[in-house]
């Protein structure tokens, strides 16, 4: 399992997240998965470019952030950008009790694009981060549907499922990432295996 403290940290601008409590630590029930590109459809070096974008305040009209950005490149493939005690603006309805990981890609990716060498490297790194987060907050390695989210179950889910679950309360929440071809079953099984390995 990866040492989260060893990941490079580039602090997102304060306007993009809420400060959480120092002690006791906030309750985290959900690990939420997202996709992001560089704004022009490219995925190379997404982690570093997005970390710098949010460090400088991000979109002035739409404050947003995530706890981690991950890509499949060799240069800074994972960046920590919001402390886990703090509340990222990532998926309305699952912010207060969620930790959020952004992956290089889009919701339109095919199954083949999720299984190429770049994506496999990224998903392995992400699963390592996810396992460490799940271990820290005692989040079970199970995939949650929108119904599960509404029922208050803890686990791993997608931004899309958060949108479906909480859209009536947050009408501007319209994201569908990481998309229907994201290998959620394989991802959760890998997180589970890492947790079992300790």
């Amino acid at each position: 399992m990866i040492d989260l403290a060893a990941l490079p940290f580039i602090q997102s601008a304060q306007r993009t997240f809420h400060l959480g409590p120092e002690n006791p630590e906030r309750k985290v029930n959900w690990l939420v998965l997202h996709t992001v590109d560089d704004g022009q459809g490219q995925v190379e070096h997404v982690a570093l470019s997005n970390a710098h974008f949010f460090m400088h305040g991000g979109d002035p009209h739409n404050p947003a952030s995530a706890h981690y950005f991950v890509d499949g490149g060799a240069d800074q493939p994972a960046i920590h950008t919001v402390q886990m005690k703090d509340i990222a603006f990532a998926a309305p309805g699952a912010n207060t009790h969620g930790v959020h990981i952004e992956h290089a890609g889009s919701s339109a990716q095919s199954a083949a694009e999720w299984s190429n060498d770049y994506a496999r490297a990224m998903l392995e790194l992400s699963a390592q981060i996810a396992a460490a987060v799940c271990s820290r907050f005692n989040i079970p390695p199970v995939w949650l549907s929108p119904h599960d989210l509404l029922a208050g179950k803890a686990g791993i889910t997608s931004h899309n499922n958060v949108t479906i679950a909480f859209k009536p309360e947050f009408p501007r929440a319209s994201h569908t990432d990481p998309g229907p071809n994201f290998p959620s079953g394989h991802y959760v099984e890998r997180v589970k295996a890492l947790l079992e390995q300790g």
Side-chain angles (χ1 to χ4, degrees):
M1 206 180 309
I2 197 168
D3 178 7
L4 295 175
L7 294 176
F9 182 69
I10 299 176
Q11 176 73 65
S12 289
Q14 174 62 63
R15 67 180 295 275
T16 69
F17 66 92
H18 284 312
L19 290 172
E22 292 286 350
N23 188 27
E25 193 168 56
R26 73 186 176 105
K27 174 64 175 173
V28 174
N29 296 323
W30 302 315
L31 180 67
V32 185
L33 308 181
H34 306 255
T35 53
V36 66
D37 57 31
D38 67 350
Q40 299 170 343
Q42 302 299 311
V43 297
E44 296 292 334
H45 310 298
V46 157
L48 191 57
S49 65
N50 274 278
H52 284 136
F53 176 69
F54 288 105
M55 177 181 70
H56 294 293
D59 182 348
H61 305 294
N62 183 30
S65 58
H67 295 91
Y68 297 95
F69 287 88
V70 185
D71 62 42
D75 179 28
Q76 302 287 12
I79 311 286
H80 185 189
T81 55
V82 174
Q83 298 286 2
M84 282 196 288
K85 75 173 187 66
D86 295 329
I87 300 167
F89 299 163
N95 288 338
T96 301
H97 300 297
V99 167
H100 302 267
I101 302 177
E102 292 274 6
H103 301 81
S106 76
S107 58
Q109 281 186 207
S110 67
E113 288 171 318
W114 279 116
S115 63
N116 62 28
D117 290 344
Y118 183 93
R120 283 200 301 269
M122 173 179 61
L123 292 174
E124 173 60 24
L125 179 55
S126 174
Q128 294 274 345
I129 294 169
V133 172
C134 287
S135 178
R136 174 171 171 174
F137 292 105
N138 198 28
I139 299 171
V142 295
W143 187 255
L144 300 180
S145 68
H147 180 77
D148 294 330
L149 290 168
L150 289 170
K153 294 182 180 179
I156 302 170
T157 194
S158 66
H159 194 168
N160 183 55
N161 284 348
V162 172
T163 294
I164 294 168
F166 300 113
K167 190 172 181 179
E169 185 177 352
F170 300 96
R172 291 189 300 165
S174 59
H175 289 261
T176 60
D177 52 312
N181 295 312
F182 182 81
S184 56
H186 174 78
Y187 184 91
V188 168
E189 285 302 311
R190 182 61 182 143
V191 174
K192 182 179 179 181
L194 289 165
L195 285 169
E196 289 173 350
Q197 292 169 16

